[in-house]
Amino acid sequence: MLKNSKSKLLEGWDYAPNVVTYIRIILSILFIILYLVAGPWGYTSTAIRWSVFVLFVIAASTDKLDGWMARKYNQVTELGKLLDPIADKLLMLSALIIASAFGELYWWITALFVIREIGITILRFYVINKGGKVIAASSAGKFKTLSQSIGIAMLLVPIVPIFCANDIPLWVICYYSIAYGLIGIAIGFATYSGILYVNDALKH
């Protein structure tokens, strides 16, 4: 029985959509390592901080690529269903946690996102255990991901060590106001989409 389950899980492991997911996981791991090496705001290495920004943009941009490929080419697999959300959460949550550890983002913001993701994951397993279908991502959830990704990407740009050696220019204040504003918008969408998930779960 276990052998059959294992073979079913590994079925289609070499499909193109799964390969994209593997690459995204590898990029996320590299992102984590380089983010830590670059130090807060990129003071340790501006060059490495730029590479962190590039890795994040590439990984975040391919967020939906594997799922789209799987549906388009009829290559949806159990392994893909398992690894895709892991890859998504690995990138976003690690970025938030490291940013908070570096003092670039308030911990309460990161905590809200982490609690939301854990709650949604529990709800999904609850619905599946009840025999229902996996709850699809809502439009609010997609807007959350978009605004969150842009906001985090803006934070990763090493502006502080380059332009803020002495006084902080007004445009830098405006820049970070936009970045944090986008993350604030993402919190709003995260809360709203979380409520939608709960309502959908209660219907099953």
Side-chain angles (χ1 to χ4, degrees):
M1 188 73 173
L2 291 174
K3 186 177 180 180
N4 290 335
S5 298
K6 184 177 180 180
S7 61
K8 185 177 180 182
L9 178 64
L10 295 178
E11 184 179 347
W13 67 270
D14 57 345
Y15 286 171
N18 289 337
V19 172
V20 173
T21 304
Y22 305 151
I23 293 173
R24 205 160 83 251
I25 291 175
I26 293 173
L27 289 176
S28 297
I29 294 172
L30 286 174
F31 165 81
I32 294 170
I33 295 172
L34 293 178
Y35 195 173
L36 292 171
V37 171
W41 304 107
Y43 273 115
T44 303
S45 174
T46 303
I48 293 178
R49 182 73 174 220
W50 274 115
S51 66
V52 169
F53 166 75
V54 172
L55 282 173
F56 180 84
V57 171
I58 294 174
S61 298
T62 58
D63 176 22
K64 303 301 179 184
L65 180 59
D66 45 6
W68 174 82
M69 290 175 65
R71 291 187 296 272
K72 181 176 177 61
Y73 300 108
N74 195 27
Q75 293 183 334
V76 177
T77 63
E78 293 301 315
L79 184 62
K81 292 178 182 178
L82 175 66
L83 293 181
D84 182 60
I86 291 176
D88 298 341
K89 289 174 177 57
L90 178 63
L91 178 67
M92 290 297 173
L93 295 184
S94 63
L96 291 166
I97 291 171
I98 296 174
S100 293
F102 281 170
E104 301 171 0
L105 189 67
Y106 289 118
W107 271 112
W108 67 266
I109 295 176
T110 295
L112 286 176
F113 283 118
V114 170
I115 292 171
R116 188 261 187 193
E117 295 302 331
I118 292 175
I120 295 302
T121 301
I122 292 174
L123 280 176
R124 279 176 172 164
F125 279 115
Y126 168 78
V127 171
I128 292 172
N129 188 52
K130 289 290 186 178
K133 295 181 179 180
V134 176
I135 302 174
S138 63
S139 297
K142 294 176 182 177
F143 284 128
K144 182 270 298 183
T145 301
L146 178 62
S147 55
Q148 182 185 50
S149 298
I150 297 175
I152 293 174
M154 290 179 69
L155 283 184
L156 293 174
V157 177
I159 289 179
V160 174
I162 297 176
F163 299 103
C164 304
N166 297 310
D167 297 327
I168 300 177
L170 178 60
W171 73 266
V172 172
I173 296 175
C174 293
Y175 176 89
Y176 282 112
S177 295
I178 294 172
Y180 288 119
L182 286 169
I183 294 175
I185 291 172
I187 292 175
F189 280 124
T191 303
Y192 178 64
S193 61
I195 294 173
L196 294 179
Y197 273 113
V198 171
N199 288 334
D200 287 343
L202 294 176
K203 294 177 182 177
H204 289 81

